[in-house]
Amino acid sequence: MKNDINWNFDNTYSRLPEAFSEKINPVKVKDPKLILFNETLAQNLNLNFSELNQSELSALFTGNELPKNSNSIAQAYAGHQFGHFTMLGDGRAVLIGEHLSQNNRYDIQFKGSGKTAFSRNGDGRAALGPMLREYIISEAMHALNISTTRSLAVAKTGENVIRETTLEGAILTRVASSHIRVGTFQYIAARNKKDELETLFKYVIKRHYPEIESSRNKALDLLKSVLEKQIDLVVNWMRVGFIHGVMNTDNMSIAGETIDYGPCAFMDIYDPKTVFSSIDKLGRYAYCNQPIITKWNLSRFAECLIPLIDKDHDKAVKLATEMIDTFEIKYEEKWLSMMRNKLGLLGTEEKDKSLILDLLTWMHQNKVDYTNTFCHLMNLKIKEDNIYKNNDFINWKKRWKERSLSHNNSEEKHKKLMKSVNPLIIPRNHIVENTLKEANQGNLKPLNNFLKILNNPYNEQANISKYQVSSNPSENYQTFCGT
Ligand code: AMP
Ligand code: MG
């Protein structure tokens, strides 16, 4: 393998105690073929693949040829899946190493790379459609300014995977600040070895939260930092109508990135109870439950930290509980602030909450598109919709206009604020599905066009109206796990 790509590996996680991971290489694939490559991300990582030809790139992005100084591992972790504790681990992924670039450390991981010690009954593989879907949605999230893992490449394996039907296999190259999850702490905590827990704890502080190195109670401050990161994240999800779909504790990143794009999807028509995941029968991970579940997951994280918070167990529980109980107030504050931004309001007023809730209730009762309503409020030319001539809405708008003028707001400030947080474009379900259908038939053009448009969600672009049409709710969109 050519070395001039500029890989700069320093694989600290693989040097942690044996129990943390399995040393394993990706399983070689039959006929590698690169089909998507993220040039911009490669440049951000200071990587240069321009000297490689197609077959070398394909071998690289399937793991058939590993870069020098990589050191592949499958990470061990546990997790609460729909509330039930399970031992998990990377069953179909390997971390090939940590790449250093401009003082940042990036995990480079292959997803769909074959069986590991943690595969249980799975085949260790992934199908092309779901890997392309992760690429589309994670890159869309990044462009929406939401903290997320990224996608560097998708390559076909030339092998079939058997799901409900026979599908083409593929590998996604995922880039993350790390793949340490709440579930990683749960796995180590369950092993009941204090030295291992301390090792993970120190590692995480050094890697992700060095600012608390000098704290008096580092464990409590770690809990606080992760709690605040997760609140920021979920508030951002709520902002754009993103539904993660499988917020198990193994899918919650300690670094605060959106991770594990399985059954996730965006809400079109505003309905707080929206669920897309076929297995989420009770709506545990519905749009409106995301903050509550975030708090639930953080409580599981807090439990792992108890022995590190205080030697006195009862005192540690008390401190952790008090910290977890700050969630509601902090969330409410950040959510209100986000919604004020969406409405272009400056300052804070007592009546803001009812103004916001009245708009959401109106959208819900009238089955109106969430994203497009904010576009309408920004006076953007989206397809004429008679719903906005509704009297209740017009009356609401009068209240909103009046409130918008307060706190020395100007037309310019108001517009600029709204523009910075209200996307014109989200990855709408029917478009995602259509582009994937085309891609599965070998036509990548619609997918590449779509990626370009998703890359610039806050600005007007030519010919985007077809991407702004709400999905038809009667089509009952469903998404799936473990694909
Ligand atoms: P997820 O629903 O993607 O968070 O996956 C939950 C667990 O199942 C993780 O430990 C995955 O590694 C594992 N898993 C998912 N799909 C497969 C597969 N095809 N083969 C092996 N393990 C898998
Ligand atoms: Mg997962």
Side-chain angles (χ1 to χ4, degrees), residues 77 81 88-89 111 174 181 246 248 250-252 259-260:
Y77 52 85
Q81 298 189 301
L88 296 161
K111 182 169 174 181
R174 178 156 76 178
R181 311 137 189 272
V246 60
N248 295 333
D250 51 301
N251 292 336
M252 184 188 258
I259 187 167
D260 223 319

Side-chain angles (χ1 to χ4, degrees), residues 82 243-249 251 260 262-264 277 279 285 481:
F82 289 88
I243 302 168
H244 183 286
V246 60
M247 292 174 69
N248 295 333
T249 54
N251 292 336
D260 223 319
C264 64
S277 172
I279 58 168
Y285 301 136
C481 282

Side-chain angles (χ1 to χ4, degrees), residues 5 7 9 34-49 57 60-61 67 96 99 106-111 131 134-136 138-139 149-155 171-176 451:
I5 295 168
W7 287 118
F9 284 114
L34 178 70
I35 62 162
L36 267 186
F37 172 64
N38 193 335
E39 181 64 49
T40 321
L41 177 58
Q43 280 172 16
N44 292 344
L45 296 172
N46 202 19
L47 294 172
N48 173 10
F49 296 92
L57 285 169
L60 173 66
F61 288 116
I96 64 159
H99 166 69
Y106 301 95
D107 270 11
I108 310 291
Q109 195 203 55
F110 292 146
K111 182 169 174 181
M131 294 305 98
E134 171 154 350
Y135 189 115
I136 297 170
S138 62
E139 288 307 301
T149 63
R150 304 284 309 271
S151 298
L152 182 60
V154 175
I171 293 175
L172 171 88
T173 305
R174 178 156 76 178
V175 179
L451 287 171

